[in-house]
Amino acid sequence: MAITGGCFCGEIKYQVEGQLYDARSCHCSRCRKAFSSQASAYALVEPQEFKWLSGQDLLTSYVGKQGFGLQFCSQCGSTLCGIFNGLVHGVTLGCVDGDPKVKLGKHIYVGSKASWEVIPEGVPQYNEGPPESA
């Protein structure tokens, strides 16, 4: 069964023909600014399993110096996915329709989290990124 998602205004829609995996919440200062939130919740996808269904012409991209970036709706501002070297590698969980059948498995970059944020117990936390095997 396909996973679908889209932006706040409904103009951009996507589909994932596969499972989301390695869901995490990033608490770094860059994610807080990019998502206007305490953290970003996202899960990884296999790039070949992701496709845009509509509104791709409304996508705007921001790509940093290392090739990682975000794509968002130029009309409503919803951040939809993460990209690396031009390919979608993850989707923001807030823009997924319904239950994506994934749970946050880690909190990363908690060493730079906002001082006012309280992270729930019971999920592994990493001061920076997780070890490669985590």
Side-chain angles (χ1 to χ4, degrees):
M1 185 173 209
I3 296 168
T4 61
C7 65
F8 181 67
C9 69
E11 293 296 318
I12 300 175
K13 296 184 187 321
Y14 64 81
Q15 180 173 304
V16 178
E17 287 290 344
Q19 295 298 310
L20 303 182
Y21 65 97
D22 202 11
R24 73 229 2 231
S25 183
C26 182
H27 301 265
C28 76
S29 61
R30 291 176 36 221
C31 280
R32 288 197 315 269
K33 289 185 183 288
F35 293 88
S36 301
S37 182
Q38 85 284 3
S40 66
Y42 65 97
L44 302 182
V45 301
E46 294 298 331
Q48 68 274 12
E49 295 177 346
F50 181 92
K51 69 177 176 180
W52 297 107
L53 298 176
S54 64
Q56 193 171 359
D57 58 319
L58 292 173
L59 281 172
T60 298
S61 299
Y62 171 80
V63 179
K65 294 176 187 173
Q66 296 177 347
F68 288 97
L70 303 169
Q71 288 189 309
F72 52 95
C73 177
S74 62
Q75 195 161 281
C76 68
S78 294
T79 302
L80 295 156
C81 62
I83 55 174
F84 179 64
N85 291 333
L87 297 174
V88 173
H89 71 86
V91 295
T92 58
L93 293 175
C95 288
V96 173
D97 298 328
D99 181 0
K101 306 285 192 248
V102 69
K103 292 186 189 260
L104 290 178
K106 62 186 95 165
H107 292 270
I108 60 174
Y109 293 96
V110 297
S112 63
K113 73 174 186 63
S115 61
W116 43 263
E117 181 184 12
V118 177
I119 297 176
E121 293 183 25
V123 179
Q125 296 181 27
Y126 300 91
N127 279 337
E128 294 184 356
E132 289 300 316
S133 62

